[in-house]
Amino acid sequence: MLVLGIETSCDETGIALYDTETGLLADALHSQIELHVEYGGVVPELASRDHIRKTLPMIRQLIAEANITSQDIDGIAYTAGPGLIGALLVGASLGRALAMAWNVPAVGVHHMEGHLLAPMLEDNPPEFPFVALLVSGGHTQLVEVQSLGDYSLLGESLDDAAGEAFDKAAKMLGLPYPGGPQIAKLAQQGVAGRFTFPRPMVNRPGLDFSFSGLKTFTKNTIADCSNLDEQTKADIAFAFEDAAVSTLTIKCKRALKQTGLKRLVIAGGVSANQRLREALEKMTAAHQCKVFYARPEFCTDNGAMIALAGALRLKAGHVEPLEVKVRPRWPLDELQKLA
Ligand code: KG4
Ligand code: ZN
């Protein structure tokens, strides 16, 4: 079954073709970063307008590049939420319209389910069941995944998401948006031990997170520095990343122990972080567990993960009404469970 995937939930237009027999056929991504950079964050209306400009030409080009025709496509998957309502509506209305025109089924995919399944695009994909750490710009969640659509929330951030904390810390250090990769790059020049940041909520039981204290600590540390030179900025970036990574690692270890599961999947933009990957490789190896993640370009938003999630759902018999429905907020555990 060949499925066209359309991702337009935020500031990236992602288009992909995924085949349930042969895997990923082709994918394309257009990032709107340049459009939003002068505002220091995503401007929803500009995002929607740009998705309108990009989606259809990108679909046409991808079909040509993959050397197929629209008649070869068996289904359409589009992101139906969570995300920016206007941006979601672009992908949803186009996805539904194409499905109607081509007489194929369409499925509205949950963006975080897309992230969660993205490591299945790689060789040696994870098998169910597993614990998933979803760390993006809008979400920080630990989820017990039993099978496709069977998700139970183990814990989540009570305030800022991990990616949001990276973005805000970066902004305080004068780095451009999105801040995660910028902090990671600057931290490479940082010296360990000069600053020590707190590990929020690790001494309390449970699997919830809180990242707003880390943000305030960064703010106060910067305010206390009489000279914010490049080396000081790098040392702060290092200490911030170190605290975020070790907080996430401690909670992942706890989630594996609590569920008794042996596989950990990390997904979402922050899972592209090299130091997080290394820390989790080390922790899982020490506990006879294994960590799975996608290549960096499939950790951040992309069309391939939406095509994959939609293809798995359609193949498993998922059906839904023809209406164009999007959900800017959409709890992951409300998804339809499939065998
Ligand atoms: O999943 P994603 O592309 O979009 C959302 O669904 O939110 O995640 C974007 C987030 C941003 O906050 C960005 O700063 C963060 O992921 N990010 C990173 C890295 N790459 C992206 N954070 C830390 N280290 C990275 N290498
Ligand atoms: Zn995302």
Side-chain angles (χ1 to χ4, degrees):
M1 174 182 255
L2 180 60
V3 172
L4 170 71
I6 306 171
E7 155 64 32
T8 64
S9 67
C10 190
D11 60 345
E12 252 121 16
T13 315
I15 308 292
L17 288 161
Y18 180 86
D19 190 307
T20 48
E21 302 300 314
T22 55
L24 189 65
L25 211 64
D27 73 296
L29 188 77
H30 168 74
S31 165
Q32 302 179 349
I33 285 180
E34 306 244 301
L35 195 67
H36 303 291
V37 78
E38 66 177 292
Y39 305 99
V42 179
V43 183
E45 185 57 25
L46 293 182
S48 315
R49 289 177 194 205
D50 201 56
H51 288 308
I52 293 175
R53 278 193 290 270
K54 296 293 172 355
T55 32
L56 211 43
M58 282 173 72
I59 291 170
R60 280 205 190 96
Q61 195 179 342
L62 202 67
I63 287 176
E65 272 172 26
N67 222 357
I68 60 159
T69 70
S70 56
Q71 273 119 44
D72 297 317
I73 294 171
D74 304 303
I76 295 179
Y78 58 86
T79 307
L84 303 170
I85 188 160
L88 290 168
L89 277 169
V90 177
S93 34
L94 184 63
R96 282 276 156 215
L98 288 177
M100 196 92 72
W102 296 343
N103 199 23
V104 293
V107 48
V109 171
H110 191 295
H111 182 81
M112 298 312 290
E113 179 176 60
H115 275 305
L116 184 154
L117 299 173
M120 293 186 179
L121 291 161
E122 305 299 344
D123 296 338
N124 305 316
E127 283 171 28
F128 298 117
F130 52 78
V131 168
L133 172 72
L134 301 177
V135 268
S136 70
H139 292 78
T140 302
Q141 296 183 325
L142 272 163
V143 183
E144 182 173 342
V145 178
Q146 284 299 336
S147 60
L148 185 64
D150 188 347
Y151 310 132
S152 326
L153 190 64
L154 297 168
E156 65 184 332
S157 179
L158 304 176
D159 40 60
D160 292 357
E164 195 180 352
F166 269 92
D167 294 339
K168 287 179 179 167
K171 205 169 182 176
M172 291 177 209
L173 289 169
L175 301 169
Y177 174 87
Q182 303 280 343
I183 292 257
K185 200 168 150 215
L186 187 60
Q188 285 174 0
Q189 318 301 324
V191 177
R194 186 165 161 209
F195 298 101
T196 307
F197 279 45
R199 271 76 175 138
M201 290 184 70
V202 295
N203 297 325
R204 276 197 244 164
L207 294 169
D208 286 334
F209 304 87
S210 165
F211 286 103
S212 72
L214 206 51
K215 181 182 65 185
T216 312
F217 197 87
T218 309
K219 195 173 159 205
N220 294 341
T221 305
I222 293 172
D224 288 346
C225 285
S226 50
N227 178 14
L228 197 63
D229 57 21
E230 279 311 302
Q231 188 56 49
T232 305
K233 282 188 190 175
D235 295 343
I236 293 173
F238 180 95
F240 172 87
E241 188 183 47
D242 196 47
V245 165
S246 66
T247 305
L248 292 169
T249 306
I250 290 166
K251 292 290 162 84
C252 285
K253 183 175 153 189
R254 212 177 270 179
L256 289 169
K257 193 167 173 219
Q258 182 178 311
T259 56
L261 294 172
K262 291 286 174 194
R263 283 179 286 262
L264 173 69
V265 160
I266 57 167
V270 183
S271 70
N273 187 279
Q274 194 54 36
R275 284 182 60 206
L276 178 64
R277 291 170 172 219
E278 284 163 15
L280 292 174
E281 289 279 5
K282 217 166 135 191
M283 181 276 285
T284 48
H287 294 85
Q288 291 74 49
C289 296
K290 195 167 161 39
V291 62
F292 298 84
Y293 40 77
R295 69 194 86 164
E297 60 266 40
F298 291 160
C299 290
T300 44
D301 291 350
N302 64 87
M305 67 183 196
I306 302 303
L308 166 78
L312 295 182
R313 283 197 161 265
L314 288 172
K315 203 178 160 208
H318 174 111
V319 277
E320 62 184 45
L322 294 178
E323 66 184 322
V324 178
K325 189 177 172 203
V326 297
R327 292 187 63 179
R329 289 176 187 275
W330 187 2
L332 192 62
D333 48 13
E334 283 181 15
L335 282 183
Q336 192 185 330
K337 291 182 185 121
L338 293 161

